Each structure stands twice: as C-alpha cells, then as structure tokens.
Amino acid sequence: MSHLQNNRIVYGCPWVVAFFSVIQPAFAGTIVTLPRVDISTTHADGTQDEPSLADAPLSASSPDQGSLRMSRLSSPDAASLLRNLPGVSTYSGGRLADLPVLNGMADDRVATVVDGVRIAPACPNHMNPALSYIDPDSVQTVTATAGLTPVSNGGDSLGGTINVERADPRFARHGKILVTGRARGTYRSNGGAYSAAGSMTVANDILSLRYSASYDESGDYDAGDGLGRVLSTEYLRYTHDVTLGIHKRNHLFVLTFSQQDAPREGFPNQFMDMTNNRSTGVNGKYVGTFNWGTLEARGYWQRVIHAMNMLPDKTGNMPMNDDSRTAGYALKATIPLGLAHTLRLGSSFDHEGLNDWWPPVTGSMMMGPDTFHAINNGHRDRLGHFAEWEAHWTNRLSTLLGLRNDLIMMDTGNVAPYSWTGMMNATDAQAAKAFNARSHGRTDVNFDVTAMARYRVLDSLDVEAGYARKSRAPNLYERYAWGPSNMASTMIGWFGDGNGYVGNLDLKSEVGHTASVTFRWHDPSGQNRWELKVQPYYTYVHNYINVQVLRSLSSSKNKLNGSLLQFVNHDAQMYGINSSGHYTVWNTHAYGKGELTGSLSWVRGQDMVSHSGLYQQMPLHGTLALNETIGPWTGRVELELIKSKTTVDQIRLEPRTPGYALLNLGGSYTWRMMTLSAGIDNIFNQRYYMPLGGILVETEKSTGQHIAVPGMGRSFNVSLAASF
Ligand SMILES: [Cu+2]
C-alpha cells in the first residue's frame, strides 16, 4: 500500500530467492540477516525491471507500519494485521479465531498459508484456524493476494491467498556471538485484556537458536454506548516456539518447534465454546541457491487436540472432541532461463487426518449411552503440482502463465449416533445407517490456470490484467457431516448464523473463473510519495457450495429461528472493486513525515439458483488514516467507515446491520531500547454490529431474538516494548 510495498517486494515475498549477504546491522555490526532478493529485478547494467509478477502481483497488498502498529496494540489475533487491506475483511467467532474473507470468499475459499504451511481448522466450527497459532509479534510479513493469484501461491482455493511468515533466524558475523531479543507487555481496558510476548536469540555465524513465547488473556468485552457486556467473548492462549537456524554459504535451514495452548475461548455466535486447544508441531524449511537456480523445501507435522463445551456464559454440558494430525511437504524450484524468463516448478502434499467424537453425558437420555462419531477417521489428502512461466519481454511488459493440478482424496469411516435404539436418537440413527451404507471415498481432480500480463503504460501508470481459473474441493464437514437432528446439526457450521448443517456426499468441487484488472497510478519520481490502486473484478463460480433448506429448526423445546441446511452445489457470481492509496502530505525536517493512507472495497455476491445474496459479503467499507512520524514519535488517526448491510443471505437469516464509523487513535514514543505505545479504539464508544459477525446464538436460544453480535466499545490500550 505505501512505501512498504517496495520493501515487501524485496523482503516480504515468500517465494523469493535467498541471497546471503550482509545487510544494515542493527547493532555494532554483529547481526547478519538473510535478505531475500528477487532475482529478476535488476540487470547487469543497473536498469530496473518491473518487479516479478509471481512474487509481487499488483493484486497483492501488505499493511503499512502504522497499520501494523495499531493492529498489534488493539488485538492479539494475527488476522487483525490484515484489517485495512483492500478486498480483505474478516469475520469473527472467537477473538483469536478471525477467519479471512477475500473478495467475498470466506474461510476455506482462501488459502491461508502460515510459514509455508496450510493448516485446515480441526473443528466443526473452525475455532482453530491457521492464523490462531501465531502471535502477531512473531509475524514478520503479511501479504494478501486477492482475485488473480499466481498458481505458485497455492491451489484448492478460490478467493486468493493470505501469506503470513515469522521472521527468519538471525546470525552473527564470523567470530562474534549475537544475543538479541524483544519483549512486550500490553494492557487493553475493554475486557481487561493482558498480552505478553517475547523472543530471545543466541547465535553465531552458523547456528542460531531462538525462543519465542506469548500469552494472551481477556474477559468478555463491553459493546459501545452502554449496550453492556457481550457474553462468550473471553479468551486465554499461550504459545511457545523454538527456532533453530543453520546457515552455511548458500544454504539456510530452519526448524521450528511450536506448541500452542488455548484453555478457553468464547464464541458468542456458536452453540459451543472452545474449552481446550493444544497444538504441537514442527516445521522445517530449507532454502538453497545452486548454479541452476534456487530450491525451497518445506516439511511439517502438526497434531491438534481440540475440546469444546460450554464456558460459564452458556448453559448446558456437551463435550465434543477433535483430534487432528496433519503432515506434508512443499518443494519449489525457481529456474532462471536467460535474463528474461523464469520457470517455477512446484510439488506439494498435504495430509489432514481428523477424528471428531462426542463422548456420552452421564444421566442424559439424549446424549448417550454411546459415543457420537461425527467424523470417524476422516482424511483429506491433497497432492499438488504446478508449472509457472514468467517472461519479462521488455522493461514495460511482463507476462505470467501458470498451470496447476490438485488431486484431493478424501475418505472417512463409518459413523455412530449416541444410541442406535433410543427413541430420542431415532433420526440420527437412521441417518447414520444410511451414511454407513454408502461408500465415502471421493477423489477430486482439479485444474487451475492463471494468465496475466502487466504493462507500464506511463512512468506513472501500471496496468495488470488477467484471468484465473481456480478450484476448491469440499472440506470434510461439507461432505461428511451427517447428523440431521437439531442437536447434531447445530454443532456443525463455521458461519455463526444459528442454523444447523448436514453434509452432502454428492458435492462436487467449486470452480471459479475470475477476470480482473488492476490500475496502479504512482509517483513517477521513484520516491513513492503517492500511489492509487484500483482493482475491479468479476468471478463466476460453477458448483459454488451453498445451502438448501431441509426444514425449520424451531420446535416446542427451543426458540431458534434458523433451519436445517444441507450443502449443495449452486452457481454463483461475485463482483466488486478494491482500491487503496497513500499520499505524502508533508515531509520536512522540522515536522517529520505525514502520510495519508486509505482503502475502499465493495463487493456483491449472488447465488444464481436461489437468487439470494451470498453469505458474508461485506458492505461498502473503507479506512482513512493519517500517519505521522517525527523523530522518535509516531502517531496515527484512523477512521473506519462501514456502510449499512442491506444485501443479505435470506436463506441463512443473515441479519441486516446499520452503517457506522469508528475513530481510533494511536501513538508511540521510542527511547533507546524502549517503545511506549498507547491508543484508544472506538474513541466515541459507538454502538455497532459487526456486518459479518453472525448472531448471538445463546440469546436466540432462550428468547428467540435474532440479534447480530455487537462490536467492541471504547478501549484504552497501552503497551511497553523493549528490544535489545
Ligand atoms: Cu471447536
């Protein structure tokens, strides 16, 4: 978006080549980091090419420093780092589990890649998405690529790719020992939230060892304007990571062991809360340069143990457990073919194994006497291959053509209700028998294509346009959720809408066709004083996985308004415009630098069969911010503007929400090793309802009132950070 855009091209792209050299040391010449340099940007004669299309398409954006600082001060969720990017919104269940929405495509339709790994949530409510495993302070780069996405950025997705990476290890110069670290404590008044995060590195020139940890805790937050406490919004989480780095000449090897524990996290828009989540994982990365090009290899393994029940804000008792194991590899070779051409080849495999079972409740007629098996030994394996050819025909024209194949193989074992014979379980028992009578193995063979071109029309105008065919296979629950009773079906769903869901063994993969063009006007002087990006897009999706109504959920025992819904393939279309820009208002010695940044996004989505609006389409919204930096001071005033949500998904009873404006303020002062930051979110304590936030499920269950989840009221935030 701002001047950082250029940095991102050099340091931030995950698929870039590592050249190992010494850059600007932070302290007394002891630190050596490993900058990643794009291989195809600078010619021997010093002229600059366009930045690589695959590594830095104009459809990609990264948050600027001012936005990152404010996000870290406001929220412990790494997903909040994305909040001001064009085309990006998030929808929340728990406050550490925001799910991304790119160009109107939510959650699984977005490839969310953390440290090169795509972890699927191991929960029927998607309470533990990929971004919940990393704390914001550990995140080094964040990139969201909406719409036209190079095939090397991942398949099995429609909306685009979000790429989040932690910092590479740091090394000392030869003969020196490097000891460096950071620590930070944060307090947020609303909810009484505490966060602490720290990291410590000890390294020589070959070996680097880093330990990072974080702790985040909050009670329920208060909504604005005296609306009161929003129940089930508390959380507690800690993470530990140990990173080992080995660096020798042209080779870098990084191994990260991580453990995350989240003993509680409330979900106001779900029937359940998270009562434990433990993830243990290891992630290895190798980057090497050879005379033929560069090789990047990744491997990972992760185990997640997940437990759900009701935290004290809810009533009832219903234990639900998930156990998931994932493992995989990704290989990527970048091969320069002369000065103008680059070939990228890649192969990856991801295994996801899942058990989802609900233990019996003693004394309950309904939940017993046996264990309910929602997903029994399910697996979803993805084998992906791609080839991508990038050509820089002239200094003004580049093209990119990529082909990708993803083979998705799924299967699951037989399932079981709480009881095969009990009267209260008759519906589920009958459905389980029908489910078990069918074969469950499914294989999807999907092809993706991305073709795009970028042309520098003027020194101040770049145009990038293209077409992408992208596909996504159903997830395990979309295919294999089977329990049609009110209780079983309302446990399934990552939509926060109070409906019940059953899967569909006959689902086909979604295939989206996207055409998009991005115009980028920018400062021709190379000083990046201003930039404006505008990106209209259109997507038609064949077999979009939407829902049909089977029956109403309301009965004599509850006041639910929702329905039992089944996943079905419908066609759908989405179109919209993303725009963003920045403008340097002043840049003088006396007054420092003042910069305006802004973004504005609009999207519309329609189901072509039901003619309803698609679920979770963010209304017109934008951010306008003024950032100032002067010596050790920074300041930011941020205005968030969200129009009323009037186009909704009628089938899911998506609530209409009024428009609102929030004013946020933040600033920081750095003195030697210490930085003190303070801010106020929602200064005027506005009352607002989150347009994609779903409904207050517990309220509806007891009163029948269909109310959107209210957003957070005013919060005073302060943090003290040290780096050494
Ligand atoms: Cu869960």
Side-chain angles (χ1 to χ4, degrees):
M1 231 163 86
S2 71
H3 48 278
L4 284 174
Q5 189 86 53
N6 290 336
N7 285 349
R8 184 176 52 71
I9 292 161
V10 179
Y11 302 109
C13 302
W15 310 127
V16 193
V17 185
F19 274 58
F20 303 101
S21 57
V22 178
I23 61 156
Q24 198 81 52
F27 289 101
T30 49
I31 300 166
V32 180
T33 53
L34 305 166
R36 304 156 187 201
V37 179
D38 188 293
I39 48 167
S40 58
T41 52
T42 312
H43 289 299
D45 62 2
T47 56
Q48 286 263 315
D49 261 356
E50 284 289 272
S52 156
L53 264 173
D55 296 330
L58 295 184
S59 50
S61 53
S62 288
D64 59 73
Q65 284 302 334
S67 172
L68 283 177
R69 255 194 307 268
M70 194 170 244
S71 303
R72 288 188 170 121
L73 183 62
S74 300
S75 168
D77 188 348
S80 74
L81 301 174
L82 299 157
R83 62 186 186 151
N84 293 323
L85 298 181
V88 183
S89 39
T90 57
Y91 77 93
S92 58
R95 286 164 66 199
L96 300 172
D98 271 12
L99 293 155
V101 186
L102 274 189
N103 286 2
M105 315 249 201
D107 194 10
D108 279 351
R109 293 191 177 96
V110 179
T112 307
V113 181
V114 178
D115 286 337
V117 172
R118 196 169 161 197
I119 301 276
C123 164
N125 303 152
H126 289 192
M127 291 173 169
N128 46 15
L131 290 173
S132 69
Y133 293 112
I134 187 165
D135 75 289
D137 278 16
S138 292
V139 172
Q140 174 90 352
T141 60
V142 185
T143 311
T145 311
L148 287 186
T149 315
V151 295
S152 54
N153 283 11
D156 200 21
S157 59
L158 289 185
T161 301
I162 285 171
N163 226 310
V164 169
E165 280 213 68
R166 71 182 78 229
D168 269 341
R170 302 167 89 176
F171 295 88
R173 283 174 194 252
H174 185 69
K176 297 269 172 76
I177 296 288
L178 166 71
V179 179
T180 182
R182 59 172 168 82
R184 177 169 145 105
T186 307
Y187 173 74
R188 306 176 184 97
S189 70
N190 199 337
Y194 294 93
S195 288
S199 176
M200 169 104 186
T201 296
V202 180
N204 63 15
D205 59 332
I206 296 171
L207 274 179
S208 171
L209 196 64
R210 179 178 66 202
Y211 170 72
S212 311
S214 72
Y215 173 89
D216 295 289
E217 182 186 5
S218 176
D220 292 340
Y221 68 73
D222 286 312
D225 196 22
L227 208 57
R229 207 150 61 96
V230 181
L231 296 178
S232 300
T233 52
E234 75 269 45
Y235 59 80
L236 171 63
R237 173 185 70 181
Y238 15 95
T239 65
H240 302 273
D241 305 283
V242 176
T243 300
L244 170 74
I246 302 171
H247 160 224
K248 194 104 205 258
R249 288 200 301 276
N250 307 340
H251 308 278
L252 170 69
F253 178 71
V254 184
L255 196 63
T256 301
F257 300 90
S258 358
Q259 182 165 309
Q260 181 246 40
D261 282 282
R264 64 171 181 270
E265 185 174 351
F267 283 74
N269 61 3
Q270 288 291 356
F271 293 87
M272 308 297 289
D273 298 309
M274 192 160 94
T275 52
N276 197 25
N277 194 79
R278 164 166 280 209
S279 149
T280 313
V282 53
N283 181 340
K285 167 170 110 168
Y286 164 82
V287 187
T289 56
F290 300 87
N291 48 18
W292 54 263
T294 62
L295 179 71
E296 182 176 314
R298 308 245 189 190
Y300 70 93
W301 173 88
Q302 188 191 30
R303 176 170 185 189
V304 177
I305 301 167
H306 176 76
M308 291 194 279
N309 207 326
M310 284 90 167
L311 289 171
D313 285 348
K314 292 187 174 128
T315 50
N317 173 31
M318 180 179 177
M320 293 170 66
N321 298 319
D322 282 89
D323 186 336
S324 120
R325 274 155 226 248
T326 51
Y329 76 82
L331 295 172
K332 176 176 300 198
T334 305
I335 307 160
L337 305 172
L339 278 176
H341 300 265
T342 307
L343 180 69
R344 285 182 195 82
L345 299 172
S347 167
S348 63
F349 179 76
D350 298 275
H351 163 76
E352 174 194 354
L354 182 73
N355 271 308
D356 182 344
W357 74 101
W358 310 347
V361 178
T362 34
S364 167
M365 285 281 282
M366 194 188 268
M367 293 177 275
D370 305 330
T371 296
F372 187 105
H373 289 277
I375 301 273
N376 178 23
N377 231 338
H379 71 83
R380 187 180 192 275
D381 298 334
R382 176 176 54 225
L383 181 65
H385 290 99
F386 69 83
E388 193 171 76
W389 165 47
E390 178 163 353
H392 292 252
W393 300 103
T394 69
N395 273 0
R396 289 185 179 271
L397 177 68
S398 314
T399 58
L400 181 76
L401 179 66
L403 303 172
R404 179 176 181 109
N405 166 240
D406 286 285
L407 191 67
I408 293 106
M409 296 153 285
M410 296 168 66
D411 202 356
T412 185
N414 283 344
V415 297
Y418 279 115
S419 163
W420 289 106
T421 52
M423 280 250 294
M424 295 181 86
N425 289 283
T427 327
D428 284 341
Q430 196 189 354
K433 276 181 197 148
F435 183 86
N436 292 344
R438 291 190 64 179
S439 76
H440 308 134
R442 297 289 183 273
T443 301
D444 295 74
V445 184
N446 290 337
F447 291 94
D448 288 8
V449 179
T450 298
M452 52 204 274
R454 179 157 61 204
Y455 186 64
R456 172 157 287 189
V457 183
L458 303 165
D459 284 346
S460 59
L461 172 64
D462 298 326
V463 178
E464 187 177 284
Y467 158 81
R469 174 197 154 104
K470 292 174 70 61
S471 40
R472 176 185 81 95
N475 68 31
L476 285 168
Y477 289 99
E478 284 166 336
R479 265 198 177 132
Y480 298 142
W482 58 271
S485 69
N486 268 13
M487 189 185 60
S489 67
T490 50
M491 297 299 113
I492 310 292
W494 40 98
F495 309 99
D497 57 0
N499 293 298
Y501 286 84
V502 281
N504 182 346
L505 281 164
D506 300 320
L507 280 186
K508 294 193 270 294
S509 283
E510 304 178 320
V511 178
H513 301 272
T514 300
S516 172
V517 53
T518 308
F519 302 92
R520 174 174 172 255
W521 288 273
H522 57 95
D523 185 356
S525 74
Q527 293 174 34
N528 201 23
R529 284 172 311 192
W530 60 272
E531 181 190 73
L532 175 66
K533 271 206 291 191
V534 179
Q535 181 195 28
Y537 59 90
Y538 176 83
T539 301
Y540 192 91
V541 188
H542 289 285
N543 293 325
Y544 183 88
I545 298 175
N546 212 339
V547 290
Q548 67 184 11
V549 178
L550 294 185
R551 62 172 169 81
S552 162
L553 284 182
S554 78
S555 74
S556 54
K557 294 193 209 79
N558 72 60
K559 298 196 163 115
L560 295 176
N561 300 299
S563 309
L564 174 64
L565 303 173
Q566 182 174 37
F567 294 109
V568 282
N569 289 119
H570 284 174
D571 282 6
Q573 65 174 5
M574 266 152 269
Y575 45 92
I577 300 180
N578 300 329
S579 51
S580 63
H582 67 88
Y583 178 73
T584 305
V585 188
W586 70 87
N587 192 356
T588 65
H589 194 71
Y591 297 100
K593 184 178 176 186
E595 188 179 54
L596 268 176
T597 61
S599 69
L600 189 68
S601 310
W602 174 77
V603 62
R604 221 5 91 77
Q606 282 147 6
D607 185 309
M608 307 304 279
V609 177
S610 72
H611 302 290
S612 166
L614 292 181
Y615 194 57
Q616 284 167 333
Q617 305 297 304
M618 191 71 182
L620 179 71
H621 64 284
T623 309
L624 190 63
L626 177 67
N627 295 287
E628 176 166 26
T629 313
I630 173 163
W633 292 93
T634 71
R636 179 176 169 96
V637 189
E638 184 182 275
L639 182 65
E640 287 178 64
L641 297 162
I642 291 93
K643 198 171 174 287
S644 59
K645 181 165 171 60
T646 49
T647 312
V648 295
D649 181 346
Q650 294 128 17
I651 293 167
R652 293 186 219 228
L653 302 181
E654 186 176 27
R656 290 181 166 77
T657 52
Y660 59 92
L662 302 179
L663 188 66
N664 309 319
L665 193 65
S668 73
Y669 178 74
T670 303
W671 184 73
R672 298 195 178 177
M673 294 152 43
M674 312 292 282
T675 301
L676 180 69
S677 311
I680 312 171
D681 288 344
N682 191 358
I683 290 179
F684 296 115
N685 202 23
Q686 289 290 309
R687 169 192 300 202
Y688 68 100
Y689 298 89
M690 294 184 282
L692 309 186
I695 61 153
L696 292 169
V697 163
E698 195 69 11
T699 306
E700 173 154 320
K701 230 165 82 178
S702 52
T703 68
Q705 284 179 286
H706 196 70
I707 303 171
V709 178
M712 204 190 218
R714 188 190 298 125
S715 184
F716 297 92
N717 308 327
V718 59
S719 97
L720 184 63
S723 55
F724 57 94

